[in-house]
Amino acid sequence: MKQPTQPTPNEHPASAADPTTGTERKVVLLTGATRGIGKSIAEDLSGDHDLILAASSEESAEKLRSTYPAAQVFVANLADVESLESALSGLALDRLDALVPCAGVTGHDPVRETTPEQWQRLFRINLFSIAELVRCLLPALHRAQGIVIAINSGAGHFSGKGFGPYAASKFALRALTDSLREEERGRIRVSSIHPGKVDSDMQREIQALRGNEYNAAQFIRPETIARAVRFALETSEESMTEEITIRPVQQ
Ligand SMILES: NC(=O)c1ccc[n+]([C@@H]2O[C@H](COP(=O)([O-])OP(=O)(O)OC[C@H]3O[C@@H](n4cnc5c(N)ncnc54)[C@H](OP(=O)(O)O)[C@@H]3O)[C@@H](O)[C@H]2O)c1
């Protein structure tokens, strides 16, 4: 498996003062920023936060570097969970205000047809990588009294035909965030965002496999999920947005 490249040295000191407002800029590490929901989160936060963006490949990293020249971009294939510790150590992060794991993949096969490799891939990207990001970044999150904002799914609460493996990974992610919230209460905050169907490449893939015509207007705009992330991020420090569920009007 391709090893991640080491990140470039951090040229953007943590929590640098924003010259326009004089306030501290929060440092946010986001995965999945190239497309869909993660792209909207990056677009929304890039103006007033210091972004650290994890890209799945060098090609995705290049795309992110040209879109967000002020961001620190590093390559981390989340399926390669064992390589994440070394990729993150290259960031030399002193403090981290927010970890937003957004990258994810879906699955379409019924349980009876899902191979061990498919189960492994889904769980590596949707769950194990997040557990490893949390484990490695917890000291930096502690120093900032930071927040983890996990992009979960409606499938973190409900499952159904053809959704078993995907929903299993999202149910497990909810268990992870529920446990982490209690274990770290008073040190960091933990939020779980549960979108219904969002207009994105993932949703296009799902609708195509079901043989449905794609009508973007039926789905939640990714910017709406980005606003929910900002809400969780900006919740005042005595409070915690534990869970937000957002569903399309048309079911
Ligand atoms: N779309 C929905 O209806 C919906 C609903 C509920 C929850 N969600 C959740 O929201 C999150 C984002 O979904 P989306 O719809 O925005 O998906 P998307 O449009 O398919 O984008 C997926 C993102 O994940 C990244 N990614 C995939 N595999 C990766 C890997 N191995 N290593 C690193 N990054 C990887 C992709 O990077 P590249 O561009 O480099 O491939 C891309 O940035 C997911 O966790 C998903 O489960 C989505």
Side-chain angles (χ1 to χ4, degrees):
M1 188 166 283
K2 196 181 161 206
Q3 291 298 309
T5 56
Q6 289 296 312
T8 50
N10 192 350
E11 295 157 10
H12 312 285
S15 295
D18 184 328
T20 52
T21 62
T23 54
E24 296 256 292
R25 285 167 69 95
K26 287 184 173 165
V27 181
V28 178
L29 194 151
L30 169 68
T31 68
T34 48
R35 295 184 278 130
I37 296 170
K39 183 169 187 259
S40 282
I41 297 170
E43 282 168 0
D44 182 56
L45 297 182
S46 60
D48 54 357
H49 291 75
D50 285 339
L51 292 184
I52 303 173
L53 304 174
S56 69
S57 62
E58 196 47 59
E59 191 188 345
S60 288
E62 272 313 307
K63 201 166 137 187
L64 290 172
R65 284 188 193 107
S66 64
T67 313
Y68 305 103
Q72 186 177 10
V73 178
F74 70 108
V75 176
N77 175 1
L78 299 176
D80 188 4
V81 180
E82 292 74 9
S83 71
L84 293 179
E85 185 167 20
S86 132
L88 291 167
S89 69
L91 295 171
L93 261 183
D94 174 36
R95 48 176 283 147
L96 182 64
D97 294 285
L99 166 64
V100 185
C102 179
V105 288
T106 188
H108 315 283
D109 293 320
V111 172
R112 65 177 175 275
E113 288 171 18
T114 305
T115 63
E117 291 72 26
Q118 287 170 316
W119 279 103
Q120 282 281 347
R121 179 170 177 271
L122 259 176
F123 269 74
R124 280 182 160 267
I125 297 171
N126 291 1
L127 182 73
F128 301 155
S129 71
I130 299 175
E132 182 63 351
L133 289 174
V134 167
R135 188 183 74 84
C136 295
L137 294 169
L138 209 46
L141 284 163
H142 280 158
R143 284 194 281 274
Q145 291 186 294
I147 183 167
V148 175
I149 306 173
I151 306 303
N152 199 303
S153 170
H157 287 291
F158 309 103
S159 190
K161 282 184 191 171
F163 262 105
Y166 176 70
S169 73
K170 294 295 191 179
F171 270 54
L173 177 58
R174 182 158 58 89
L176 184 158
T177 49
D178 281 354
S179 296
L180 186 68
R181 184 180 302 116
E182 297 313 319
E183 289 165 6
E184 299 297 329
R185 194 170 281 277
R187 287 185 287 274
I188 65 164
R189 295 177 296 164
V190 180
S191 301
S192 186
I193 312 281
H194 295 258
K197 293 173 187 161
V198 179
D199 173 23
S200 74
D201 289 349
M202 181 185 282
Q203 196 52 241
R204 266 183 206 93
E205 189 184 324
I206 294 167
Q207 296 305 323
L209 275 152
R210 291 178 176 174
N212 296 338
E213 217 170 281
Y214 195 82
N215 178 1
Q218 289 184 333
F219 306 123
I220 303 166
R221 291 179 204 136
E223 308 88 82
T224 304
I225 310 305
R227 280 205 292 278
V229 169
R230 183 179 279 274
F231 179 82
L233 195 53
E234 294 182 348
T235 301
S236 54
E237 73 265 6
E238 83 296 345
S239 317
M240 169 154 54
T241 302
E242 295 194 355
E243 213 173 282
I244 300 180
T245 297
I246 305 164
R247 297 202 180 288
V249 171
Q250 294 192 43
Q251 290 292 327

